[in-house]
Amino acid sequence: MALDVDKIRLDFPALTRQIHGQEIVYLDSAASSQKPESVLQAMDAAYRTSYANVHRGVYQTAEETTAAFEASRAKVARFINARSASEVVFVRNATEAINLVAYSWGRANLKQGDVVVLSLMEHHANIVPWHMLAEERGIELRWIGITDDFRLDLTNLDELLSGARLLAISAMSNVLGTINEIRPLADAAHDHDALILVDACQYVPHLATDVRAWDADFVAFSAHKMLGPSGIGGLWARAELLEGMPPFLGGGEMIRDVRQDGFTTNDLPWKFEAGTPAIVEAIGWGAAIDYLANLGMADVRDHEERLTRYALDALIQNFPTMTIYGPQDASIRGGAISFLFDGIHAHDISQVLDERAVCVRAGHHCAKPLMRHIGVPATSRASLYIYNTESEVDTLIEALAKAEDFFRI
Amino acid sequence: MSSNLEDLYREVILDHYRSPRNRGELPVPPATKTEGFNPLCGDEVAVYLEIDSATDTVRDIKIEGQGCSISQASTSMMSAAVKGKTVDGARQLIRAFKALMSIHEHKLEGEGDGSDLAADLEGVRLGDLEALQGVVKFPVRIKCATLAWNTLQQGLDEAGDSSI
C-alpha cells in the first residue's frame, strides 16, 4: 500500500517549522532524519516515568528501564533479521561500529601485509579506521573502483580479493545513492576466505535489511538516520565472531568478574558495552523501529523509489547544464541525489536554496576519495525520505532555477 | 533575494567571482607555493608568492584553486589588494581583514563590542574588501572568506623563512 505521506507528515513536529516565513523543505535526511512524535514521547516518558540505570538495580524502575532498553535491542535484531539480540551491540553510531571492528577484530587478526579491500565510494567512516590500522600495522588497502555510471567496478574483484582478509563496503552510497548488491560481494569475499563488513548506514533506514540473506559478517548502522535519536547505533556481527574478538573499551558492564590480577568479560553483547550506555536513546530507537515497521519497509522503499524517479526526471528535464552524480535509474539507487551546475559551487547553491527554506547538503559528504575520483571539490545533495513529497521536489526545482539564474556566468 | 543575501553576494563580489584576478602559477623557486584547505566544503587554494627581498615587497602573486563564490572572490580581492604592497603592509591587511570578520562574529554572539579588535582595523583602507562583511551574517561562510587570507599569512611566513 502506498504511504499516506500527508498523514505521516503530521507525526513530525519539526516539519512544521517556518524558515524565513516559509514551511521548511527538509531534503537532508541522508545526513540525519527528522523524528516522529512517538520517538519524542517514548524518550520523554522514559525520563519522566521510569528512569534508572540499566543492568544494575533490583528495584522496580531499574527493572523497567532495563526491560525497555533490552526490548529495543530485540527490535533492532528483528528489524535486520539477526539470529539473536545478543548479536546486536549498541554503539554511538555506524562510525563507532566500524572503529570497534577495526580495533578489536582488526588488531587481533591483521598483521603487516594483510589486505583490506574498500571501495572508492566509501564514507570516511569506512576509510579512516583502516588507514589508521595501515599506519599502525602496515596492512595494505586495496580499492574497488567505480564505473562511468557510478556503480562498483567489479571487473577485477577476484584480483583485489586475492589474499584479502576483509572486504569493507557500503550497501548504499551516501553521495551517489548507488545500492550495492551485498550478497554477491559476500560470496566473493568468502570464496577468498575474507570476511565482509557492510556499512549499512544509508541502507537500513530505506530498505528491508536481512543480514542473514546478505551472509554478512559485520554490519554497521545508525539510529539517527532512521527516525531515531543521535548518539546510538548498532554493530551486528555473527555471534561466533563477536565471541572470538577481544573487548573494545574496558569498564563497567562489560565484565563478568574483576580481580586484582585481571578480569573476565561479560556475555554478548554486553562484552562490548563498557560504561552506562545511551539508555533513553536506545528506547527512542525502539520507537523509531516500531514506526518504520508499522509503515512496512517495502512500502517505504516504494515511496522513495517513486519520489527519486520523479526528482531525477525533474532535474534532468529542467537543468541541461546540471550533472547528476549517481545512477539515473531509480530502481538501483536510493534517494540521495548529488548534483552540480557547471561552474557554480555547491555552497552557493545551498545558500540561495536556504532563502526558500530548502535544506540540502553541500560539500564533500565525508567521501573525499570519491570526490577526487569524480573530479569535483563538492556537490549539492538532496535526499528523500518517508515524509517528502512531490510538491517539495517542485519547490527544490523552483529554487534551483533561481539559484542558477543568479550565479550563471 | 532577501537583503541579507544581497549583502552576502554584493556586485563587487560577484564581479571578482566571475572574473578572478591574478589566476595562474609562478615558477617555484623563486616563488613559493602555499596550499590551504577548507575541510568543511573541500575548497582548495594555492597561493604563489614572489617576494622582492631588497624592498621586502610582494612583487607578484598568483592564485590557483577552486571554491565557492565567496572564497573565490575573497581570494581574488586579496591578491589584488596585496600585490605591490610591502610584506608588513600585507600582514597589516591580513589582520584588518580577520578583524573585520571576527568583530562581527563577536557582535553576533553578544560578546562585547569588539573594540579590542577595532585597533587592527584602524588606519587600514579595506576598500572593496569591505563588501565581504556581509559574510559575517552567515557564520558558516566566514571560513570561505578567510581561507585565502590564512593561506597568504602562511605563505608570507614561509617566504620569510626561505629568504633567511
Side-chain angles (χ1 to χ4, degrees):
Chain A
M1 216 177 69
L3 296 188
D4 185 347
V5 178
D6 289 342
K7 186 160 165 284
I8 287 173
R9 289 180 69 83
L10 298 176
D11 294 332
F12 289 81
L15 295 180
T16 61
R17 171 77 197 269
Q18 304 274 311
I19 309 273
H20 318 307
Q22 300 153 103
E23 194 166 271
I24 193 169
V25 176
Y26 188 75
L27 300 177
D28 198 17
S29 295
S32 200
S33 71
Q34 299 298 339
K35 321 303 173 197
E37 195 71 61
S38 61
V39 168
L40 305 178
Q41 277 171 10
M43 294 178 74
D44 192 58
Y47 277 125
R48 284 177 193 279
T49 62
S50 185
Y51 179 78
N53 210 328
V54 291
H55 301 137
R56 283 154 178 80
V58 290
Y59 48 91
Q60 175 88 17
T61 53
E63 283 179 1
E64 283 171 8
T65 309
T66 302
F69 178 77
E70 290 301 332
S72 281
R73 192 193 308 275
K75 286 174 187 176
V76 174
R78 263 199 308 280
F79 195 68
I80 60 170
N81 198 30
R83 184 170 284 111
S84 148
S86 64
E87 294 182 327
V88 174
V89 179
F90 281 143
V91 289
R92 276 190 305 147
N93 43 39
T95 298
E96 186 173 293
I98 297 169
N99 274 277
L100 192 160
V101 175
Y103 273 90
S104 170
W105 179 84
R107 278 164 180 77
N109 290 282
L110 299 180
K111 55 186 190 311
Q112 168 116 21
D114 279 348
V115 173
V116 171
V117 180
L118 311 172
S119 90
L120 262 183
M121 64 172 83
E122 297 313 306
H123 186 282
H124 294 165
N126 197 23
I127 298 174
V128 180
W130 309 113
H131 270 319
M132 288 163 69
L133 207 53
E135 280 177 16
E136 185 188 312
R137 287 287 165 92
I139 63 166
E140 179 193 343
L141 303 186
R142 291 183 192 156
W143 300 81
I144 299 173
I146 56 174
T147 61
D148 291 344
D149 57 350
F150 305 103
R151 304 172 71 172
L152 291 177
D153 178 1
L154 300 175
T155 46
N156 59 343
L157 183 64
D158 272 327
E159 201 182 311
L160 291 171
L161 282 173
S162 162
R165 302 289 311 278
L166 180 73
L167 169 60
I169 195 142
S170 166
M172 189 198 292
S173 163
N174 70 313
V175 180
L176 308 171
T178 311
I179 294 173
N180 296 323
E181 266 194 84
I182 294 301
R183 181 57 194 250
L185 290 166
D187 289 346
H190 293 152
D191 284 347
H192 289 273
D193 294 324
L195 298 181
I196 181 166
L197 177 150
V198 184
D199 173 1
C201 204
Q202 295 288 342
Y203 189 97
V204 175
H206 304 284
L207 290 102
T209 302
D210 185 334
V211 296
R212 281 189 277 174
W214 274 350
D215 201 17
D217 297 300
F218 303 102
V219 177
F221 48 108
S222 291
H224 72 97
K225 293 191 203 289
M226 51 189 289
L227 312 182
S230 57
I232 189 157
L235 169 67
W236 170 87
R238 286 189 292 109
E240 55 272 33
L241 278 169
L242 290 173
E243 293 285 2
M245 284 158 55
F248 173 39
L249 300 173
E253 182 89 353
M254 53 75 69
I255 48 88
R256 174 170 297 139
D257 188 22
V258 182
R259 303 166 307 277
Q260 280 182 278
D261 64 350
F263 72 99
T264 49
T265 56
N266 201 342
D267 294 332
L268 296 180
W270 307 292
K271 169 182 166 183
F272 293 101
E273 294 180 2
T276 294
I279 299 166
V280 174
E281 285 75 6
I283 292 169
W285 194 8
I289 286 172
D290 287 343
Y291 191 95
L292 285 173
N294 186 45
L295 294 177
M297 290 309 287
D299 290 348
V300 166
R301 169 61 186 165
D302 263 8
H303 167 73
E304 289 179 23
E305 190 178 326
R306 199 169 326 118
L307 195 56
T308 301
R309 185 168 292 120
Y310 181 82
L312 287 169
D313 287 350
L315 291 169
I316 291 165
Q317 274 167 25
N318 283 284
F319 305 113
T321 66
M322 175 185 278
T323 304
I324 293 172
Y325 297 95
Q328 300 203 348
D329 174 359
S331 72
I332 57 163
R333 58 165 299 147
I337 305 174
S338 280
F339 56 86
L340 209 52
F341 287 107
D342 189 23
I344 310 178
H345 194 278
H347 266 186
D348 291 321
I349 293 292
S350 297
Q351 194 82 64
V352 180
L353 294 194
D354 178 60
E355 279 288 290
R356 189 61 188 77
V358 176
C359 312
V360 301
R361 171 86 190 267
H364 52 62
H365 314 294
C366 299
K368 287 196 87 171
L370 174 63
M371 303 307 277
R372 286 208 171 84
H373 177 79
I374 60 182
V376 296
T379 68
S380 298
R381 181 189 67 190
S383 53
L384 308 168
Y385 205 16
I386 52 170
Y387 35 66
N388 292 121
T389 64
E390 290 186 1
S391 131
E392 287 181 306
V393 172
D394 295 342
T395 306
L396 168 72
I397 300 290
E398 271 169 47
L400 281 172
K402 265 195 196 141
E404 191 200 16
D405 216 34
F406 189 70
F407 287 105
R408 181 56 48 216
I409 294 175
Chain B
M1 292 292 149
S2 73
S3 63
N4 267 359
L5 208 59
E6 276 167 9
D7 241 19
L8 177 64
Y9 294 120
R10 298 249 185 102
E11 203 43 54
V12 58
I13 292 176
L14 292 173
D15 174 55
H16 275 268
Y17 160 61
R18 290 177 178 133
S19 330
R21 324 294 197 259
N22 301 305
R23 292 288 295 187
E25 298 177 35
L26 292 173
V28 181
T32 56
K33 177 187 182 184
T34 311
E35 290 178 298
F37 298 92
N38 182 344
L40 172 75
C41 53
D43 288 358
E44 299 173 4
V45 64
V47 176
Y48 294 87
L49 275 176
E50 204 178 300
I51 307 291
D52 183 336
S53 52
T55 57
D56 214 22
T57 303
V58 180
R59 187 192 296 149
D60 204 356
I61 179 167
K62 292 277 189 214
I63 305 291
E64 277 190 311
Q66 43 193 353
C68 66
S69 60
I70 300 302
S71 82
Q72 292 298 287
S74 181
T75 307
S76 171
M77 290 161 102
M78 177 276 282
S79 73
V82 302
K83 191 170 171 177
K85 271 217 160 37
T86 62
V87 169
D88 280 349
R91 285 188 188 280
Q92 200 181 13
L93 206 53
I94 294 171
R95 277 196 301 276
F97 183 76
K98 287 184 162 184
L100 182 74
M101 291 291 127
S102 53
I103 280 179
H104 290 264
E105 217 176 336
H106 282 257
K107 272 187 191 161
L108 285 174
E109 288 164 9
E111 293 171 10
D113 60 1
S115 58
D116 47 333
L117 289 162
D120 282 330
L121 277 167
E122 268 202 16
V124 181
R125 282 200 54 242
L126 285 167
D128 281 357
L129 290 168
E130 280 180 14
L132 281 163
Q133 66 184 327
V135 171
V136 294
K137 288 184 201 145
F138 300 86
V140 181
R141 306 301 292 277
I142 292 175
K143 283 196 168 68
C144 309
T146 52
L147 175 65
W149 297 83
N150 288 327
T151 311
L152 172 67
Q153 187 167 23
Q154 202 187 329
L156 289 173
D157 292 346
E158 284 165 16
D161 290 345
S162 62
S163 67
I164 291 168

